[in-house]
Every structure is written in C-alpha cells, then in structure tokens.
Amino acid sequence: MKTYEVFLKREGKDPFTHAGSFDAPDEEMALIYARETYGRRGEGEQMWVVPRTAVLSANEKELAMADRDHKHNDGLRVAELRRISTGEES
Amino acid sequence: MRAWRDMDEFEGFLDAGGVVEPNDEMPEPYRQAVFRFIELHANSEYMGGLTERDWIPKAPGLHRKLTALAKTQDEIGHAHLLYMVAADLGIKTREEMMVDLLEGRTHFHNVFHYRVHSWTDQIAVAYLVDAAALASQQAVFKNCSYGPYKRILRRVIAEEGFHMRNGEEMMLLMAHGSNTQHEMMQESIDRWWLPAVQLFGPDSRPNDELLRWHVKSERNEDLRDRYVQKFVPQLLACGFTIPDPGLEKDQTDGKWKISPIDWEPLKQTMRNGGPDSARRISDARNAWNNAAWVRDALTNQPAST
Ligand SMILES: [Fe+2]
Ligand SMILES: [Fe+2]
C-alpha cells in the first residue's frame, strides 16, 4: 500500500486545495479511492492524486525567512505623505 | 517542523491559537491524547457504518435503500478519513487500529453498543444519535488545535448534516403518520433518548486535558444541555413523550432540566460490555475476515500468465 494525497479544484477561479490522504495499492485503485473518498458529492471539478513520497516539503524556517519587511508596504507611510502633500497637516 | 522547549511553551502556543501539524515535535502526552481521541472517533464511525449497512436491504422502498447506502458509505468513509489522520500520528498503523478494535482492545461510542430493533430505531439513530455526534464534532471542529483533524472534520460534519436531515424527515413522517407508526416511533425514542444524551459523557473534569489543549472547545455538560434544550421541545411538538419522569421545565430560566443520569450503562459500554457489544464486535470481525480476499487481491500483484 502507498499513501496518496488528494487535491481538489472547484469550478471557477479557486486554486487546487488539499483534501486529504488515503492508502491504495496502485494508481488505478488510487484514482477510484480518491473519487469515492473525496469527490462523491461534487466537491471538485478537477482532482489531482499525488503519491505522498512525491511531495517535497519546504523547510519551514527558510520559508519564514524568505518573508521580509521590504517585500511589503503597509501603506502607513503613503498615507502620511499624502496628508503632507495635500497640506492637511496643520 | 517545529519544536517546543517544554509543555509550558507548548501550551502557550496552543492558548495563542496555534495549530499543530503531524511533522511538528509535539509533546508526547499531546500526541497520545489526540491519537486516542481520533481513534475512538474512527472506531465509532466504523461500527456505526456497519449497523447502517444492516439496514440497506430492510429499508422501505428504493429511495430509502439508496439513502441508507449513501449514509453507509459516508460512515465507513468517515472511519477511513479518521484512521488516516490517526495513523499519521505514528502510534499505530491503520491495520493495527482495526485489529485492536476487532479484538475488543479499544473502544467505540456507547450508542453503538445497543441493538437496533426496528426501522424506527434506525430513524431514531439518525435523528437523535447523528445529531448528538454532530454537536460534539462541531465543538471539536470549532477550534481544534490539531490541524489535520480539524480539516477533515469539515467534511465529516457536512455529511453528518445530511444524515441528520434525513433522520428528521423520516421522524416527521412517522410523527404525522398512522397511529401504529407514531407508536413505533415513540418506542424507538424511548429506547434511544438516554443513550443519545449519554453520548456527551459525564461532566468534563475541571482539568480535562483535551479542553486545556484546545482539542475540544466545549465542556460535555454544556453540549449535553444544549442538546436537551433543542430536542425536548422538538419531540414534544411532534406529540412524543420523553422517557424521563423527572424531566421538567425550570420556571425561573425556562430551561429543560433532565433527571440525574446513571452513568453505569455508559461505563459498561466503555468496557465493551454493553447489551449488544459482543455481537457487534464479532459481526465486525466477520466482516473483516470475509473481506480478507479483497485485501489480498488489492495488495498482491496479479499472477503472471
Ligand atoms: Fe459519521
Ligand atoms: Fe452519521
């Protein structure tokens, strides 16, 4: 038995999302199990079934480190400068 | 993968709304407690699914047979999903959990230790028991600190809603049907009311670790009380009586008060010593053994010709 991960995509613009996992002996059965376990009430229009071993997990610390202040702008400074430029500051 | 220095730091993380994932280095007591809770839930879904299956051939008419079939698939499916989530905690494999259940070494909810006598019993199970199970699952889903369990409960809960609505529909048909139907439904309510109320368990201990670790988010007694407040008026409105001579409406707060509960029957079911426990477990064991050839066929490579 091999563990598979299932991803479903609804009709429209939603991205694929993880639905869950299950065990199956081979690819043919994996597709049947995936449909019967996660997609039997129109939960998705498209389905990806991926062997768990094929999923590479990113290092969470490095992932967190990739996020830096200079990649965001919270707009506070913009608001302040707008006030100054329109002469609202007394 | 995250790790915590000690239990205090971990509990601080949980109190702040932190969500634990399977690859985190969670403290062992948390891993064990979450595992036991999910295993009990999975076992209960499985045992419930098997009873459901018994009623597919006996359900009246094609439509009811089809809904019984769909419900059976849902319940076995819930067990399947939950066993996967439990197995990922790395304590037991799915097969080990199954064998422990069939050998009577682990447990399942009290309501599946009683015999389902009639079609109206089956309706009472759908209306009263699925609703009680749904209420306790919702209380876990709301704020569960173990991520995979919370995510899979979304699906389980949606399907329980379908069972409960079917149950209510059938109950209402019986309530407003012939006298015989009404009487049969009343008999079934008499049999299932107490087990359903007991499903929530005795009052939560003050230091219940599942509450402290934000696995459950509501106390047993609060869930039970909300259930009583919802179902007593519904049943009375349908012309049924509640099998509790001490039941009364409190004049000051207008709330329904039930008699003190004797927990001995619940304790017996938790020792697998309920009225129908032995038959149910051996029936499940037979189903498992009879399907051995299917598992073999699935796992073995086809014989070369
Ligand atoms: Fe279920
Ligand atoms: Fe159900």
Side-chain angles (χ1 to χ4, degrees):
Chain A
M1 288 281 184
K2 217 161 140 182
T3 304
Y4 292 83
E5 301 290 344
V6 182
F7 300 83
L8 280 167
K9 187 190 179 308
R10 265 193 281 262
E11 193 187 348
K13 292 176 182 166
D14 285 350
F16 273 88
T17 48
H18 183 233
S21 60
F22 64 91
D23 288 346
D26 57 39
E27 291 183 1
E28 188 190 356
M29 288 309 296
L31 285 167
I32 297 173
Y33 282 171
R35 188 190 67 216
E36 287 302 315
T37 311
Y38 292 102
R40 62 182 187 274
R41 281 195 181 87
E43 291 87 340
E45 195 192 42
Q46 291 180 52
M47 179 182 263
W48 287 343
V49 180
V50 185
R52 182 178 277 181
T53 49
V55 177
L56 305 179
S57 288
N59 179 298
E60 286 171 34
K61 281 209 181 77
E62 289 170 8
L63 191 61
M65 272 158 52
D67 181 28
R68 293 294 171 81
D69 285 353
H70 65 265
K71 298 172 186 172
H72 301 275
N73 187 326
D74 63 9
L76 290 175
R77 179 91 179 116
V78 176
E80 189 189 335
L81 290 170
R82 273 192 197 143
R83 268 199 309 276
I84 294 169
S85 74
T86 53
E88 269 178 35
E89 278 234 305
S90 49
Chain B
M1 188 174 81
R2 290 163 300 182
W4 293 268
R5 238 177 310 122
D6 50 25
M7 193 51 122
D8 278 353
E9 193 181 72
F10 182 68
E11 290 188 351
F13 169 78
L14 298 182
D15 286 341
V19 174
V20 182
E21 294 297 335
N23 56 354
D24 288 335
E25 268 182 37
M26 62 196 97
E28 206 46 34
Y30 177 87
R31 185 191 295 275
Q32 293 285 345
V34 169
F35 172 78
R36 276 197 308 273
F37 192 74
I38 301 175
E39 187 188 29
L40 174 69
H41 185 178
N43 287 346
S44 306
E45 297 282 3
Y46 186 70
M47 296 306 279
L50 289 180
T51 330
E52 212 55 51
R53 169 212 58 180
D54 293 344
W55 286 89
I56 300 168
K58 294 183 258 183
L62 181 61
H63 175 66
R64 295 292 175 217
K65 284 188 204 303
L66 288 173
T67 52
L69 194 68
K71 190 180 167 190
T72 304
Q73 188 180 16
D74 288 346
E75 305 297 16
I76 300 295
H78 296 167
H80 185 189
L81 300 174
L82 293 161
Y83 281 129
M84 287 304 299
V85 170
D88 281 344
L89 281 159
I91 293 169
K92 288 186 204 169
T93 64
R94 209 152 54 113
E95 180 153 358
E96 284 166 347
M97 287 184 261
M98 194 55 86
V99 171
D100 280 351
L101 171 68
L102 302 178
E103 294 300 325
R105 288 192 290 262
T106 47
H107 304 288
F108 49 100
H109 286 148
N110 71 318
V111 285
F112 303 117
H113 291 264
Y114 294 90
R115 188 156 202 129
V116 178
H117 291 85
S118 61
W119 177 244
T120 47
D121 269 23
Q122 192 59 7
I123 297 175
V125 169
Y127 175 58
L128 294 174
V129 171
D130 279 80
L134 177 60
S136 37
Q137 288 163 15
Q138 276 166 334
V140 175
F141 172 68
K142 210 160 74 178
N143 204 16
C144 182
S145 63
Y146 189 59
Y149 191 29
K150 180 177 163 78
R151 291 192 288 272
I152 220 66
L153 276 174
R154 179 189 295 281
R155 182 184 179 95
V156 172
I157 283 170
E159 293 174 353
E160 288 308 336
F162 160 70
H163 307 163
M164 205 182 74
R165 277 189 296 282
N166 274 339
E168 186 170 358
E169 179 190 316
M170 294 186 286
M171 184 279 294
L172 287 167
L173 280 172
M174 291 293 159
H176 305 291
S178 67
N179 284 345
T180 314
Q181 285 175 319
H182 194 94
E183 279 164 26
M184 271 184 77
M185 194 67 238
Q186 179 68 60
E187 281 170 25
S188 299
I189 290 164
D190 292 347
R191 272 196 283 273
W192 289 92
W193 171 254
L194 261 182
V197 168
Q198 290 177 0
L199 178 71
F200 297 102
D203 293 5
S204 292
R205 282 173 291 111
N207 200 22
D208 187 329
E209 54 189 21
L210 290 169
L211 285 166
R212 193 168 77 241
W213 292 334
H214 305 279
V215 176
K216 299 206 241 176
S217 59
E218 283 187 80
R219 312 184 65 79
N220 294 347
E221 60 271 31
D222 295 339
L223 286 170
R224 192 195 317 126
D225 182 58
R226 197 161 340 123
Y227 182 84
V228 166
Q229 303 314 321
K230 181 176 170 199
F231 279 86
V232 167
Q234 277 192 20
L235 287 168
L236 294 179
C238 290
F240 295 121
T241 56
I242 315 282
D244 177 356
L247 180 81
E248 56 180 14
K249 198 170 189 171
D250 191 300
Q251 292 309 317
T252 49
D253 62 5
K255 291 181 93 183
W256 290 96
K257 299 274 186 308
I258 57 173
S259 303
I261 295 173
D262 171 15
W263 293 107
E264 195 43 42
L266 182 89
K267 285 183 194 147
Q268 274 167 17
T269 63
M270 291 324 271
R271 292 191 291 264
N272 290 333
D276 201 28
S277 311
R279 190 201 61 85
R280 292 238 192 182
I281 294 170
S282 81
D283 179 57
R285 199 163 39 226
N286 289 340
W288 174 258
N289 292 336
N290 291 341
W293 69 272
V294 179
R295 292 192 298 280
D296 285 345
L298 284 174
T299 46
N300 292 339
Q301 293 301 315
S304 54
T305 47

